[in-house]
Amino acid sequence: MDRLSALLLTLIASGSLPVSYSACIPAMGMTCMLENLNMLTDGLTTLRQIEPKVFYNIQVRMLRVPNNPAGAFLIRAAEFVNNVEIFVYREQEFQILAGTNLNVVNVLEAKSLKQIVIAEGDITIKELYVYSCMLDRIPPTIGNLPLLTDLTFYRCTMRNLSFNALRKNLRLKTLDLSYNEIDTIVPLTNADGEVSLAIENLYLGSNRLENLDMTAFERLSNLTMLDLQYNNLMKIAAERTVSWPAMEMLDVSYNQLSTIDLQWLSAPNLKRLLMSNNLLDKIPQRLRRFPNLQLIGLSYNKMAAIDLAPLNGLPTLSSIDVSSNPAARFIRSSRPVRLPMLDTLYAENCALNRFNTSGIDLPVIGYISLANNNFSTIPPLGQSFPAIVSFSLYNNPLPCALLKARAELILSGKLILGPPQDASECPDGSTTIAPSFLLCCKA
């Protein structure tokens, strides 16, 4: 029989019930719905009666197999589909045998799973995803999937990541180990010479990393994205230079970093540097090491002042967010800074009452948001930055008389103070700057 051009076989291995002949019921998304499929009796015949190249998906709500839905069953399923998805898997071991001719295996819930055993031999699996499991490490036999490009163990119980387990997976591009318990990373050793892994996207968010030696990643020369958010990082450092020539995004948000010094990192193509929700008290130094930076995220930190000077020498920076630094009272630059491509600046939800534009050159800035701060005067942003299209002072304690005097600036849309309001929404006062256009202000 021709193999079905199905993208997915959805399996719910949730028990064994009496099963009768299963008819295919067409459903949304070109899905063939099978209420019951009994591989002990007529299941194979049922699958072979489905017309090939008609359905994108085969969804089985109740599956009965001789053993657990792995091993020999995966080989049998590969006669009909390219991809297998198992909703609930209740066994402690998952087997993948030689001759498994599938592209994707996806196990969505495997709360009892403690071991994955992969045989040596011809296996065509390119993507393996396992969620909510009891695995405490990457399976030692994962190297028997030489075609693997995507590997996920999400919300399991892994305590460490050893790159040595992946030394045979030379095509692996994406590794997602988010929501585990990883507190240790073991670098690739030199047992097989200078082997470099092909990993481009590495997700290690929501683990237990604290003090991270970044040399653990130095053999990942193709890395383009590293996600370290939601750990307990207090320090990231390296004893020697780590080179990531293709790196585009580094995310260390939601950690405990009070300082960050990236002098160890050579990443000339880094475009996005995300450091929000940490304990940083200033914009990090040495950022000019990354001349292609386009976006910097520094919201939710501990800055008492926002000094833009460390940003000088970033010719492609287009956006920076320093919002939600509740102790920050002013923006300035302690030395001249020119940001030729900066288009947006966000400094919302701070305690800002002053914006000293002296020495700050933003020739193409289009929008600045200072919403939810403590400005009682309107900073001269229009005069200092002629290219600016608009800036927001929404929810600042601006005097009513000042708003009345600057009505033209508000009505033109250049100064944004929010939509027209009702006097009942303004406990401290209000003013009408045009018919049916009332704004809250400080009386």
Side-chain angles (χ1 to χ4, degrees), residues 74 84 94 96 103-107 116 118 125-131 135 139 142 145 148-154 172 174-176:
L74 293 181
V84 167
F94 191 92
I96 301 176
N103 289 337
V104 180
V105 174
N106 189 355
V107 184
I116 295 179
I118 305 167
I125 293 174
K126 297 179 181 178
E127 300 175 24
L128 175 61
Y129 307 97
V130 179
Y131 298 85
L135 292 173
I142 198 71
L145 300 179
L148 195 65
T149 61
D150 294 75
L151 177 62
T152 292
F153 295 113
Y154 185 94
L172 186 64
T174 298
L175 176 62
D176 188 349

Side-chain angles (χ1 to χ4, degrees), residues 212-250:
L212 188 55
D213 182 355
M214 302 301 284
T215 57
F217 304 106
E218 66 180 341
R219 304 283 283 278
L220 277 64
S221 57
N222 294 314
L223 207 59
T224 62
M225 190 282 298
L226 177 58
D227 177 5
L228 293 170
Q229 62 178 323
Y230 288 103
N231 276 275
N232 299 314
L233 289 172
M234 294 181 284
K235 182 179 181 182
I236 56 174
E239 295 179 354
R240 54 187 177 272
T241 299
V242 176
S243 296
W244 292 329
M247 171 64 70
E248 294 187 359
M249 187 182 83
L250 174 61

Side-chain angles (χ1 to χ4, degrees), residues 379-397:
L381 303 184
Q383 296 93 315
S384 300
F385 312 125
I388 197 166
V389 176
S390 61
F391 60 97
S392 174
L393 284 169
Y394 173 72
N395 200 28
N396 278 266

